[in-house]
Amino acid sequence: MDRRSALTPDALAMMDTIARTGSFAAAARELGKVPSALTYSVRQLEDALDVLLFDRRSRQAQLTAAGEELLNEGRRLLAEMDAVAQRVRRVSTGWEAELTIAVDDVLSRLTMLELCEAFYALRPSGPNEPGPGTRLRLRTEVLAGTWEALVSGQADLALGVPADMPAPPGIEMKPLGAMPFVFAVAPHHPLASLPEPIGDDEIVRHRAVAVADSATRLTRITVNLLPGQDVLTVSSMQAKIEAQLRCLGCGFVPEVLVREHVRHGRLVVKQVKRQRRVGGMAYAWRSAAVPQPKKAPQGLALQWWVEQLASPATRQALLDRHHPQHGLRGCE
């Protein structure tokens, strides 16, 4: 018998029973076997792995170091097998094995995690049954990257896509809301002391801070950068705000994200001659009319998320709720 054939679920369960009951005789009674049959099975397993699993000098079922390792890994594998079986059963009832959600960098992480918490708390088959079994995968994107993740098939749902994107066949889109932006600089930045409104001829003389669009195939979106202006490019809106706090540049930032910085004087909002930016956002998902290969058309997990987004309060929280109101809850 080779090693792979020897490491069956039955063999792992046998090891668990022997260790839990403390003796071959007790394990044999629980498994409905005679002790000699159990001893023979253990010897077969030891021969296949070329190790000793139990210390024969002890009257009790005393595991060796190798036996302890096999027991620990065996219990983990058995738990994973049970989890796979549960997920397969959920898929057969319409719950996806995995759901990927692309989220624009400026949306509320707090709200997203609370939605995940509510999703994992679902008990579709009853209060004492396991949850949906769908694995959630969240990915953070910027500007056109959020849209690209959806249309390229890398995401099933996209939150915060530009509202003016034309939806191709197979994609449904609904408004998420508007996020106002303000032009902000550090209080010791040269633009902070200029009379308002400030024109582009002054702004272009100072470095801008920009967040890199995460798209790799679609045309990347460039917002509010002037021709010839020096640019510091960062990977996230939070990094952009940090850079502007350090007086490394200027630029438009979401008002809700810098509200506290402005209130405490760490940033100064300046009126500019150009039109104040308002970022119109939408959410989009793959339509049930165009099923994906090897996937159920619009599974129950996606339906649940779309239903949550139908709530105006949820959409507003994604745009506005960036600071915790209460302490974090511990695991239960």
Side-chain angles (χ1 to χ4, degrees):
M1 182 186 298
D2 62 30
R3 294 177 181 178
R4 183 173 295 181
S5 300
L7 289 173
T8 64
D10 286 343
L12 297 174
M14 174 190 68
M15 287 287 297
D16 182 63
T17 305
I18 296 171
R20 180 166 44 79
T21 58
S23 71
F24 281 74
R29 286 194 296 271
E30 183 171 314
L31 295 172
K33 296 181 178 182
V34 297
S36 59
L38 209 60
T39 302
Y40 176 73
S41 296
V42 170
R43 288 193 181 279
Q44 277 194 313
L45 185 57
E46 289 177 326
D47 290 343
L49 299 177
D50 194 23
V51 296
L52 283 177
L53 299 173
F54 291 93
D55 187 347
R56 298 298 194 274
R57 297 170 299 180
S58 173
R59 292 185 178 183
Q60 298 297 316
Q62 186 68 42
L63 289 164
T64 64
E68 288 279 3
E69 181 67 14
L70 179 61
L71 177 64
N72 293 335
E73 287 299 308
R75 285 173 173 169
R76 181 183 61 81
L77 289 170
L78 289 172
E80 288 185 359
M81 289 177 187
D82 289 341
V84 168
Q86 288 287 356
R87 285 198 296 273
V88 169
R89 185 166 68 88
R90 287 284 179 252
V91 169
S92 72
T93 61
W95 293 93
E96 303 92 320
E98 182 174 280
L99 186 76
T100 301
I101 305 173
V103 187
D104 189 274
D105 179 50
V106 299
L107 294 183
S108 168
R109 292 181 177 86
L110 176 63
T111 302
M112 283 302 302
L113 292 177
E114 289 180 345
L115 286 168
C116 290
E117 185 180 23
F119 179 81
Y120 287 132
L122 290 174
R123 294 295 179 264
S125 302
N128 297 320
E129 291 295 312
T134 301
R135 290 178 171 175
L136 296 180
R137 183 184 295 271
L138 304 183
R139 51 185 293 168
T140 302
E141 302 289 346
V142 177
L143 295 171
T146 313
W147 181 251
E148 181 181 273
L150 180 68
V151 298
S152 66
Q154 297 177 71
D156 305 290
L157 173 65
L159 309 182
V161 299
D164 56 357
M165 285 287 190
I171 299 292
E172 294 189 46
M173 181 187 293
K174 288 191 176 181
L176 182 64
M179 180 170 282
F181 281 62
V182 293
F183 188 85
V185 294
H188 50 295
H189 190 281
L191 291 176
S193 59
L194 290 185
E196 301 170 297
I198 303 173
D200 287 352
D201 56 335
E202 285 290 344
I203 294 174
V204 74
R205 297 167 53 193
H206 301 274
R207 183 186 307 109
V209 183
V211 182
D213 193 315
S214 61
T216 58
R217 298 177 183 176
L218 297 180
T219 302
R220 296 179 179 181
I221 298 174
T222 300
V223 182
N224 285 316
L225 293 181
L226 298 172
Q229 187 176 19
D230 184 21
V231 181
L232 167 63
T233 303
V234 295
S235 60
S236 68
M237 181 58 70
Q238 189 56 51
K240 174 182 168 72
I241 293 170
E242 290 290 340
Q244 291 182 209
L245 285 168
R246 293 173 177 271
C247 203
L248 293 175
C250 59
F252 286 89
V253 287
E255 187 275 333
V256 66
L257 291 180
V258 297
R259 190 175 295 162
E260 289 300 303
H261 292 308
V262 172
R263 188 167 72 87
H264 291 286
R266 294 187 291 264
L267 284 175
V268 176
V269 172
K270 300 295 290 184
Q271 300 300 315
V272 295
K273 289 182 179 178
R274 69 170 60 189
Q275 186 175 3
R276 184 179 180 182
R277 184 187 166 199
V278 177
M281 292 183 164
Y283 62 99
W285 67 96
R286 296 191 160 274
S287 170
V290 184
Q292 297 298 298
K294 300 182 181 180
K295 281 189 179 181
Q298 194 169 333
L300 297 176
L302 178 57
Q303 288 182 31
W304 184 89
W305 280 87
V306 172
E307 287 170 4
Q308 305 314 300
L309 292 165
S311 163
T314 299
R315 297 196 301 271
Q316 197 62 41
L318 284 167
L319 295 167
D320 290 349
R321 194 161 174 266
H322 292 269
H323 304 288
Q325 302 298 318
H326 306 286
L328 294 177
R329 286 167 42 185
C331 292
E332 298 175 352

